[in-house]
Amino acid sequence: MMTEEQMEVLRQQIAAYAIISDQLVQMHKAFSAQHTHSGMRQGSLYYDPWIASSGQKMNIRQRWSPTTEQLQILERIFEEDNGTPNNQRLKEITTELAQHGKISDSNVYNWFQNRRARLRRKQSVPEPQKPESETGKEVQSLKEKKMRPESTLSYENSAQRSKTIHLQQSPEISTEMLRLNSRSNEANPHFRQILI
Amino acid sequence: MMTEEQMEVLRQQIAAYAIISDQLVQMHKAFSAQHTHSGMRQGSLYYDPWIASSGQKMNIRQRWSPTTEQLQILERIFEEDNGTPNNQRLKEITTELAQHGKISDSNVYNWFQNRRARLRRKQSVPEPQKPESETGKEVQSLKEKKMRPESTLSYENSAQRSKTIHLQQSPEISTEMLRLNSRSNEANPHFRQILI
DNA sequence: CGAGTATGAATGAAGG
DNA sequence: CCTTCATTCATACTCG
């Protein structure tokens, strides 16, 4: 297992990489923004058909996807608040995120819902330390799904620690990297539905 | 302390970011190496001028792949149980499969998830209509897709293929990055999964 | 070797 | 909250 110290290091490392890649994506977006005209780019990276001339077309993309900024903010809030936002809070968050792209509160709601659920799922499997010693011992029956080891969390509260990493990364990154792909390329978080 | 699962999550995150960052660096190098290139082919997805000629490289990002035995077992179970394994069952299966190779329950979980999904898709679309206009950016108004019919037509039209990058990362990271993660090198598992 | 396909994994959303 | 689905991404694998 790891020491708390090592954990901390890992966290920092992640944060560092996260920031870097985020900047990368930012650059990508900036770059693509100033090139929306020239040449055809056969819808690969991001096609933006939603600005379709015919009024309000914007279809095709049906599922919301957070922009990088939004994701960042969401993650931050998730850590800070460390819990389910109530309606009030939810709307605040939505409002804030709306500045960075189209979004609705149900998106935010779902996001938190999923975020929590998946975190829980991951951490709810205390894996035995010796992988191959014997297979039979792995009892671990959580079958009593009624009982959720809610109190067993450790990841979250350790993450609550200050995340100030203060790093500034290299400003000079070529435009080449802009081709870097990632989900975050979805500079266009378009959605369609509203639900409720 | 952390569970093995949590560790796994961390590893995944690190690996993910590490890859992106690596690519970033690689691209940067490639770019600065021959920057005289003026005609930007912004449309084209990518190309990979950075062939890692270096011999050794850490194998980041290896994805699990079932061995033959595992696959057989999985298929058998899939038929027999004919449904979604609950957590209990999932662990049993994982345990069994672990005898034939490295595996984690999330692998199993995903496998069933995908298996079901793909089976479903196959069934619901017996005859896929082929996209005749290859370049046509057909609108394909699926507005009615809003409601979820049991027969979700979703054929694999090859448009919107991935904007892949396909590159192998190299072990070394730019000096910028070294600054960032310098103190964690020893503890750093750059691995998403360390199987094989 | 490079394009196309199979498939493991991630994630937004729906329903209960 | 929990489970499951649909969809998409990324990668390994295969074939021309």
Side-chain angles (χ1 to χ4, degrees):
Chain A
M1 292 302 258
M2 304 185 74
T3 65
E4 191 55 33
E5 171 69 14
Q6 289 171 326
M7 287 262 315
E8 181 60 21
V9 170
L10 281 178
R11 262 182 239 116
Q12 291 188 9
Q13 197 168 17
I14 291 172
Y17 280 127
I19 290 171
I20 291 174
S21 44
D22 178 60
Q23 287 169 343
L24 199 181
V25 173
Q26 299 286 359
M27 293 171 77
H28 184 196
K29 288 202 293 192
F31 175 79
S32 57
Q34 74 183 54
H35 278 281
T36 42
H37 36 51
S38 62
M40 66 173 320
R41 58 234 209 289
Q42 179 51 349
S44 232
L45 282 224
Y46 28 77
Y47 45 107
D48 26 1
W50 12 71
I51 338 172
S53 53
S54 61
Q56 54 282 15
K57 189 82 170 181
M58 72 171 164
N59 124 359
I60 297 180
R61 172 73 78 187
Q62 19 201 355
R63 145 172 144 170
W64 167 77
S65 184
T67 64
T68 323
E69 298 99 328
Q70 288 176 335
L71 230 192
Q72 254 180 187
I73 297 175
L74 283 168
E75 288 290 355
R76 179 172 52 71
I77 295 175
F78 183 73
E79 268 185 38
E80 288 176 0
D81 291 25
N82 191 23
T84 308
N86 55 24
N87 273 7
Q88 162 75 3
R89 184 88 181 104
L90 194 71
K91 292 208 177 302
E92 289 176 12
I93 297 174
T94 305
T95 304
E96 182 177 353
L97 293 180
Q99 300 176 6
H100 301 285
K102 209 147 185 189
I103 195 172
S104 86
D105 49 353
S106 67
N107 297 139
V108 179
Y109 179 78
N110 283 332
W111 190 88
F112 276 93
Q113 205 67 33
N114 282 316
R115 192 67 170 67
R116 276 190 304 273
R118 281 160 182 153
L119 212 209
R120 216 174 293 122
R121 171 173 251 273
K122 284 301 177 198
Q123 68 187 192
S124 72
V125 184
E127 187 62 26
Q129 61 286 21
K130 289 301 187 297
E132 68 286 51
S133 47
E134 69 285 336
T135 57
K137 71 153 294 297
E138 199 275 329
V139 182
Q140 173 60 44
S141 75
L142 282 193
K143 183 187 180 63
E144 290 64 29
K145 57 182 64 173
K146 291 306 101 181
M147 54 84 74
R148 269 185 295 89
E150 199 70 68
S151 57
T152 61
L153 83 170
S154 57
Y155 185 58
E156 278 180 299
N157 53 23
S158 58
Q160 74 176 6
R161 196 182 311 283
S162 82
K163 61 172 299 179
T164 45
I165 297 268
H166 315 149
L167 44 84
Q168 75 303 20
Q169 72 340 29
S170 71
E172 29 83 36
I173 310 264
S174 74
T175 54
E176 288 296 290
M177 69 166 45
L178 295 181
R179 274 184 281 94
L180 195 274
N181 125 325
S182 87
R183 299 178 50 69
S184 10
N185 272 343
E186 330 233 338
N188 299 279
H190 289 286
F191 68 142
R192 51 152 182 127
Q193 67 58 230
I194 304 294
L195 165 123
I196 294 182
Chain B
M1 289 304 264
M2 300 186 76
T3 65
E4 195 53 33
E5 270 299 306
Q6 292 169 339
M7 289 262 311
E8 181 60 21
V9 173
L10 281 178
R11 268 185 230 111
Q12 290 186 10
Q13 292 183 67
I14 291 174
Y17 286 126
I19 289 168
I20 292 176
S21 305
D22 264 358
Q23 291 172 341
L24 194 174
V25 173
Q26 297 287 0
M27 290 179 183
H28 184 216
K29 286 201 288 193
F31 179 76
S32 49
Q34 42 103 298
H35 180 312
T36 54
H37 187 15
S38 61
M40 49 180 50
R41 67 268 161 274
Q42 64 219 28
S44 59
L45 301 210
Y46 81 100
Y47 68 118
D48 38 358
W50 44 76
I51 304 300
S53 53
S54 61
Q56 79 299 342
K57 53 180 63 297
M58 333 172 39
N59 241 346
I60 304 182
R61 195 68 174 281
Q62 193 67 27
R63 86 175 179 185
W64 168 76
S65 185
T67 66
T68 322
E69 300 98 332
Q70 287 177 336
L71 197 55
Q72 283 174 350
I73 298 175
L74 282 169
E75 289 290 355
R76 179 172 54 70
I77 295 175
F78 184 72
E79 275 182 32
E80 287 176 2
D81 291 28
N82 189 23
T84 310
N86 57 22
N87 274 6
Q88 162 77 4
R89 185 87 183 104
L90 193 72
K91 290 200 178 307
E92 291 176 9
I93 298 174
T94 304
T95 305
E96 183 177 353
L97 293 179
Q99 300 177 8
H100 301 284
K102 204 148 190 183
I103 195 173
S104 86
D105 51 352
S106 64
N107 298 138
V108 179
Y109 177 79
N110 285 331
W111 189 88
F112 277 93
Q113 203 71 20
N114 283 315
R115 190 70 221 286
R116 252 175 289 126
R118 280 156 185 158
L119 177 67
R120 214 175 296 124
R121 173 187 297 220
K122 287 256 187 298
Q123 291 177 339
S124 69
V125 185
E127 46 82 28
Q129 67 181 69
K130 88 147 182 71
E132 67 289 1
S133 67
E134 61 284 11
T135 55
K137 198 69 173 78
E138 83 299 21
V139 181
Q140 183 72 47
S141 71
L142 297 178
K143 290 190 174 76
E144 285 63 27
K145 192 172 168 55
K146 179 183 181 65
M147 34 75 84
R148 188 189 331 177
E150 58 286 358
S151 64
T152 58
L153 67 157
S154 54
Y155 24 83
E156 299 272 26
N157 62 358
S158 60
Q160 176 65 3
R161 205 58 180 146
S162 70
K163 28 215 170 157
T164 46
I165 290 238
H166 296 172
L167 44 84
Q168 262 68 9
Q169 70 311 313
S170 80
E172 38 75 67
I173 308 206
S174 75
T175 53
E176 251 80 32
M177 290 185 176
L178 291 179
R179 226 198 324 286
L180 298 176
N181 72 347
S182 57
R183 71 192 185 91
S184 60
N185 273 339
E186 79 285 4
N188 169 22
H190 248 136
F191 302 91
R192 179 185 206 165
Q193 281 193 11
I194 308 145
L195 39 82
I196 290 183

